[in-house]
Amino acid sequence: MKKKSILLVVALLLVLSTVLAACGKEKEKKVVSKDPKSDLKLADEQVLRLVSGSDIPSLDTSTATDAVSFIVISNVFEGLYTLGENDVVEPGVAIADPEKSADGKVWTIKLRKDAKWSNGDPVTAHDFVFGWRRSIDPETKSEYASMMYSIKNAEKVNAGDLPVDQLGVKATDDYTIEITWDKVYPYAQSLLAFGTFMPQNEKFQKSQGENYAKEANTQVFNGPFVLSSWTHAQGWTYGQNPNYWNKKDVKLEKIDVKVVKDDTARLQLFETGQIDRANLVATQVPKYKGTTDFKIENQTTTFFLKYNQKNELLANVDARKAISMGFDKKAFTDNILSNGSRPVGYMVPDNFAFDANREDFREGMPEMSTFDVKKAQEHWSAAKKALGKDTFTLEFLNYDDTNSAKTGVFMKEQLEKNLPGLTVNIKPQPFAQMLELQKQLQYDFTYAGWGPDYPDPMTFLELYTTENSFNRSAYSNTEYDKIIEDANGPLLADPAKRWEELRKAEKILIDQDQAIGPLYQRSLSYLEKPTVEGVIKHNFAGDYTYKKAYITQE
C-alpha cells in the first residue's frame, strides 16, 4: 500500500512537472513572440520601410530647422524629456520632473546614470550645457536660438552682448543640471523635448570639425536609434542604438527610408510590398478610399503663401491681398491635394491650442483672406494704380516633387486668369535649396508649411516678428512686434488677456497686413500596412516617434 502511494505521488509529480514545463515554455513563447500590449504576434523581421519626399537637410541639432530633420533628430537623440502618446511629456535622460524653486524660475533636474552615447561615452549634464551653449552662440547662427530666449541671459548671449557661459544653465555635477529661466512659459517643460534642446557630445563634435553631422558617421547619437547609413538624395537607415538605456523596449531592428519624389513611384513601391506606408495624392485617393490600408491623418500644420516684401510689387499690401484672394482654395484642396486637407483663412490651426477652459484658440475667430475674385481684382487695380504699371512678372519658388508641380501650375493658371496683367513663372527647387533661397530672400513668392514646436499659438505667431530668423519675408510691423513681446512677457501673468492679444496679432498679420496668404490646414491621406503598429504621431516638435513601433505577422 505504501509502495503504491509513493508511485502515485511520483506519477502526480511527473504530470505536474510536465504541466509546469509546458506553461513555462508557453510563457517564454509569449515573451518573445507577442507584444505585451497586444495579442498580435510580432513578425520575425522587425523592419519598418518608409519613404520621404526629400533628403535630410541637417543632422545638426543646433542648425536643423525643418520637419524632415526633426523627425530624424527626435528618433536618434533624446532630450531631458520626450513626448509620449497624446503628446504627454515623459522623462527621457531626466529621471523625473524638475525640482522647482519657490518662484518657479530655477529648475533642478537629475539625469539617469545609465544613458550613453552610441560611441559608449556617458551622457552627462555637461553634454546638455555644451549643446545649448552651442545653439545660442551667435557664431553657430542657429535659426532656432530664439527657442531658448526664455532662459536667463539667452537673448543677450545670442546677440553677442554676453559670453556663452552666462547662459542660465549649468551642470552642478555630472548628473545634475540647473536651469534658470527669465520667463517661465506654461509649456516650458515640453520645450525641453524639442530638437534644439538635445545634448551634444563636445569631444566628438570638436573632433569632427567642419564635417560634423554631415554624414551618418560624423554624428553620434543618444536616442533609441542611430543613423546607421545615409546616402544623400537616396535614403537613410536607422538601426537600434545598442547603448540606449531602454533598448529592451525598442522592438524595431531597422527603419529603411527611401527618398522618393515621384508619387507614382511611391505608390508602386507600396503595391509591390517594398514599403509599409505611402502618402497619396489627389488622383490616387478614389482608388483606395474605403480599403483596409487607407487612412487619414489630421495634422496641426498650416500652409500659406510667403511674400518677399523686398519685391516692389509684393511690398504693396493691395498686391498681397489680391494674390491671397485671387485663387480658389477649395478647388486647390479638393482637386490638387484631395487628402482631407481643409482650406483656411488663418495661421494658428484648430484643435491645437486651448486655454484653461479648454476653449480652442480658433473659437469665435472669423475666417480671413477667403477666395473672392471681385475683391481680389479691386485690390489688384489699387496696386497697379499705386505702382503706375499694368503688367508684372513674379517668380513662384516651388518644390521639385510631382504634386508640387501641380500646385505651381494651379497657382499660375488661377492668378494669371483672375489678376489681369500678372505673369507667374515657376521655379522648382529641391527642398534644402528651397530653404536656403528663402533664408537669403532670393525669391518673389512661395508657399511653406509650419508645424508647431510647442503647444501654444506663439509657436506660429512669433515667426513674423521683425527680427525672427524664420520671418524670411522682410515683413515688419511695430504694433505686431509689441503684442508678441508682451505676450512673451507681462501678459504671461494674465492668460485671458494674453489670449485676446494673440488673436489680435493674428488679425494684424493676415486681415490687416496680409503678410502671408493662408492656404490650408494639412491632413494626409495615406496607405499603411496593417502590420505596422505603435508609431506615435505628435502635434508639435518631431512629427513621429518610432521608439514603440513594431511589425506584426501577416
Side-chain angles (χ1 to χ4, degrees):
M1 190 73 178
K2 187 174 180 182
K3 185 175 180 181
K4 287 182 179 179
S5 298
I6 293 172
L7 289 173
L8 181 60
V9 169
V10 170
L12 289 170
L13 288 171
L14 286 171
V15 171
L16 182 62
S17 65
T18 302
V19 171
L20 289 172
C23 289
K25 288 178 181 178
E26 179 63 19
K27 183 178 180 182
E28 181 180 350
K29 182 181 177 183
K30 286 181 180 179
V31 169
V32 299
S33 66
K34 288 191 177 182
D35 178 73
K37 293 183 179 180
S38 170
D39 290 332
L40 299 171
K41 292 183 179 180
L42 295 180
D44 293 334
E45 186 179 57
Q46 289 297 305
V47 179
L48 177 62
R49 301 160 305 170
L50 304 171
V51 292
S52 172
S54 76
D55 197 5
I56 309 169
S58 179
L59 268 182
D60 186 342
T61 60
S62 287
T63 58
T65 64
D66 65 282
V68 175
S69 297
F70 282 128
I71 290 172
V72 177
I73 285 169
S74 65
N75 284 285
V76 297
F77 288 92
E78 185 169 82
L80 293 168
Y81 298 97
T82 65
L83 298 180
E85 294 185 33
N86 300 314
D87 295 329
V88 174
V89 179
E90 302 173 343
V93 179
I95 60 175
D97 289 339
E99 298 174 11
K100 301 179 183 179
S101 62
D103 64 1
K105 288 193 171 183
V106 180
W107 290 12
T108 302
I109 301 173
K110 296 288 185 180
L111 277 58
R112 59 180 67 257
K113 295 183 179 180
D114 55 349
K116 291 184 178 179
W117 291 99
S118 52
N119 66 357
D121 291 347
V123 179
T124 69
H126 305 288
D127 295 321
F128 285 93
V129 173
F130 172 73
W132 297 10
R133 285 179 176 176
R134 182 169 173 268
S135 293
I136 204 68
D137 189 335
E139 292 295 319
T140 305
K141 295 180 173 60
S142 171
E143 292 185 75
Y144 261 109
S146 59
M147 290 281 283
M148 295 184 173
Y149 281 4
S150 53
I151 299 175
K152 183 179 178 180
N153 294 332
E155 194 164 1
K156 291 181 180 179
V157 171
N158 192 233
D161 297 332
L162 287 175
V164 293
D165 62 7
Q166 293 301 299
L167 180 68
V169 57
K170 63 181 178 180
T172 56
D173 61 45
D174 287 349
Y175 296 99
T176 307
I177 189 168
E178 183 182 280
I179 307 169
T180 302
W181 301 92
D182 179 32
K183 308 163 189 171
V184 183
Y185 299 132
Y187 50 84
Q189 195 167 337
S190 67
L191 277 178
L192 303 182
F194 188 72
T196 311
F197 289 85
M198 296 299 116
Q200 296 182 38
N201 186 314
E202 181 176 6
K203 181 180 177 181
F204 183 87
Q205 190 275 330
K206 291 183 175 177
S207 73
Q208 298 302 309
E210 292 184 358
N211 292 322
Y212 177 66
K214 298 288 179 63
E215 307 292 340
N217 63 358
T218 61
Q219 180 60 287
V220 67
F221 314 99
N222 78 311
F225 300 99
V226 299
L227 206 66
S228 52
S229 67
W230 180 16
T231 304
H232 293 278
Q234 296 182 36
W236 60 91
T237 300
Y238 303 85
Q240 275 194 6
N241 184 351
N243 292 320
Y244 182 56
W245 65 270
N246 195 24
K247 64 180 180 181
K248 64 181 177 59
D249 288 339
V250 180
K251 298 175 183 64
L252 290 178
E253 297 161 357
K254 187 168 68 168
I255 305 170
D256 280 329
V257 184
K258 301 178 187 293
V259 174
V260 182
K261 298 180 181 181
D262 183 79
D263 303 321
T264 302
R266 186 164 53 232
L267 187 57
Q268 288 174 342
L269 288 171
F270 183 86
E271 289 181 327
T272 56
Q274 297 180 63
I275 59 173
D276 297 312
R277 172 174 169 145
N279 293 343
L280 297 174
V281 295
T283 55
Q284 298 167 342
V285 170
K287 178 180 178 180
Y288 295 96
K289 198 169 186 178
T291 65
T292 55
D293 291 340
F294 181 81
K295 297 180 181 179
I296 291 180
E297 177 185 292
N298 295 318
Q299 298 188 327
T300 53
T301 297
T302 52
F303 278 73
F304 43 90
L305 293 177
K306 292 171 65 79
Y307 303 115
N308 180 2
Q309 294 191 29
K310 287 189 176 296
N311 177 284
E312 180 188 26
L313 175 63
L314 297 175
N316 182 283
V317 66
D318 282 304
R320 299 194 299 272
K321 288 189 174 185
I323 294 171
S324 299
M325 297 177 184
F327 64 95
D328 189 340
K329 285 190 276 192
K330 190 172 188 308
F332 176 69
T333 56
D334 286 354
N335 302 322
I336 303 300
L337 301 180
S338 190
N339 57 8
S341 296
R342 294 171 288 117
V344 298
Y346 53 72
M347 186 176 192
V348 180
D350 65 10
N351 199 31
F352 162 65
F354 301 88
D355 65 13
N357 298 317
R358 293 299 296 168
E359 181 177 285
D360 194 311
F361 182 79
R362 296 250 59 86
E363 189 71 29
M365 288 279 282
E367 280 287 302
M368 299 173 282
S369 188
T370 56
F371 172 53
D372 189 322
V373 174
K374 183 179 178 181
K375 285 186 179 179
Q377 290 179 346
E378 288 173 357
H379 286 295
W380 185 238
S381 295
K384 291 198 288 188
K385 182 178 180 180
L387 295 169
K389 292 174 62 177
D390 286 326
T391 60
F392 297 90
T393 299
L394 290 176
E395 185 177 81
F396 181 67
L397 179 62
N398 197 12
Y399 303 89
D400 66 346
D401 59 274
T402 52
N403 207 51
S404 294
K406 297 173 186 176
T407 297
V409 171
F410 178 88
M411 289 294 179
K412 176 179 174 66
E413 290 178 349
Q414 288 268 304
L415 293 175
E416 290 184 349
K417 171 187 173 184
N418 295 329
L419 303 179
L422 177 63
T423 299
V424 176
N425 295 326
I426 304 168
K427 181 179 180 179
Q429 292 290 303
F431 183 53
Q433 183 65 11
M434 276 273 295
L435 296 177
E436 187 60 30
L437 289 172
Q438 289 182 39
K439 188 190 303 184
Q440 301 299 328
L441 289 179
Q442 294 180 10
Y443 74 98
D444 291 339
F445 77 121
T446 184
Y447 74 106
W450 189 262
D453 300 324
Y454 50 88
D456 189 86
M458 188 63 74
T459 190
F460 289 90
L461 298 178
E462 70 177 353
L463 300 177
Y464 283 90
T465 54
T466 301
E467 300 300 327
N468 193 285
S469 58
F470 290 101
N471 184 313
R472 298 176 181 176
S473 65
Y475 169 69
S476 180
N477 181 307
T478 55
E479 181 186 6
Y480 184 85
D481 289 351
K482 185 65 167 61
I483 292 173
I484 299 303
E485 180 183 357
D486 289 346
N488 275 333
L491 289 178
L492 289 169
D494 188 347
K497 179 66 174 176
R498 178 177 183 268
W499 214 246
E500 181 184 328
E501 287 296 292
L502 288 176
R503 284 172 165 165
K504 179 181 176 182
E506 190 184 46
K507 289 179 182 177
I508 292 172
L509 183 72
I510 298 171
D511 199 39
Q512 176 183 305
D513 291 350
Q514 201 73 74
I516 61 170
L519 291 173
Y520 61 93
Q521 184 168 334
R522 184 171 67 183
S523 293
L524 291 177
S525 292
Y526 65 100
L527 301 176
E528 185 175 73
K529 299 292 185 185
T531 53
V532 177
E533 297 283 349
V535 175
I536 300 175
K537 171 71 179 75
H538 300 296
N539 281 334
F540 58 93
D543 288 346
Y544 302 101
T545 293
Y546 303 123
K547 179 170 61 176
K548 297 181 181 179
Y550 55 95
I551 308 298
T552 65
Q553 293 182 10
E554 296 280 356

